């Protein structure tokens, strides 16, 4: 009997149900909660070179600190990051139930996410995912992001497994396509496909 795959879960949009119609839900009450312009914040923080943050070349806190100084946000960057990360923590209960059931069956699981190091740490510690998966692979720590082939190669090298042992579940089609091109198994996860993907996992492993 062949070994079961190692399931690599994307985080935002899969394990964390924080996106609706392509919009991150944390932003909905930003102006009401903080009295600051969401437009100014997003333009300053998510500049054209945001990939520098996602791949760990620049610290997100530094970018937020420069915004806080610019607009006079007295609580400071750490308060903003804490607010942001907690508002963005919306774990998908149904997906987590499937994940827990897979763990109970001995299925090895990891997270494979385009997130910088500070939020990756929040995901592990504050949201408790360090206890749910064997490893959190984040672009900010790895220095490379999906769908770059090096992202997937780094994971298989670290886990010391062949590409065909990996099963990616991701809500970004380009990430799914890149994984498949490297020999991974993969499922595209969306509002339309979520029931099919979860049903497939249940049928195959539970």
């Amino acid at each position: 009997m062949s070994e079961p795959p190692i399931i690599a879960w994307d985080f935002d949009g899969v394990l964390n149900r924080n996106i609706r119609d392509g919009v991150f839900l944390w932003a909905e009450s930003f102006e009401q909660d903080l009295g600051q312009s969401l437009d100014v914040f997003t333009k300053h923080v998510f500049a054209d070179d945001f990939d520098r943050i996602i791949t760990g070349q620049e610290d997100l806190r530094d970018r937020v600190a420069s915004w806080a100084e610019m607009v006079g946000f007295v609580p400071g960057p750490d308060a903003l990051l804490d607010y942001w990360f907690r508002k963005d923590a919306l774990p998908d209960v149904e997906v987590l139930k499937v994940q827990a059931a897979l763990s109970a069956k001995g299925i090895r699981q990891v997270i494979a996410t385009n997130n910088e190091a500070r939020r990756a740490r929040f995901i592990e510690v504050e949201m408790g995912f360090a206890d749910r998966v064997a490893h959190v692979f984040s672009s900010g720590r790895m220095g490379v992001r999906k769908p770059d082939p090096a992202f997937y190669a780094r994971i298989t090298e670290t886990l010391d497994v062949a590409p065909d042992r990996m099963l990616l579940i991701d809500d970004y089609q380009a990430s799914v396509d890149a994984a498949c091109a490297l020999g991974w198994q993969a499922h595209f996860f969306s509002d339309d496909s979520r029931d099919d993907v979860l049903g497939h996992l249940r049928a195959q492993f539970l």
Side-chain angles (χ1 to χ4, degrees), residues 18 20-22 29 34-35 42 50 52 58 64 107 111 118 126 134 159 164 169 195 199-200 204:
N18 60 336
R20 182 169 58 227
D21 298 327
S29 60
L34 303 181
T42 55
F50 192 67
R52 286 182 49 80
E58 181 183 342
V64 172
I107 304 296
I111 288 174
R118 290 182 182 274
E126 301 297 332
L159 298 176
D164 62 5
I169 301 173
D195 290 343
H200 177 80
Q204 187 170 4

Side-chain angles (χ1 to χ4, degrees), residues 26 29-37 41 67 73 75 79-80 83-84:
W26 66 264
S29 60
F30 181 91
E31 295 188 348
Q32 178 181 348
D33 292 342
L34 303 181
Q36 294 290 335
S37 166
F41 177 78
W67 164 84
F73 184 68
L80 189 286
Y83 166 85
W84 180 1

Side-chain angles (χ1 to χ4, degrees), residues 102 156 188:
L102 291 167
T156 53
F188 176 65

Side-chain angles (χ1 to χ4, degrees), residues 186-198:
H187 292 305
F188 176 65
F189 190 94
S190 68
D191 287 341
D192 292 334
S193 70
R194 60 179 281 116
D195 290 343
D196 289 340
V197 172
L198 296 178

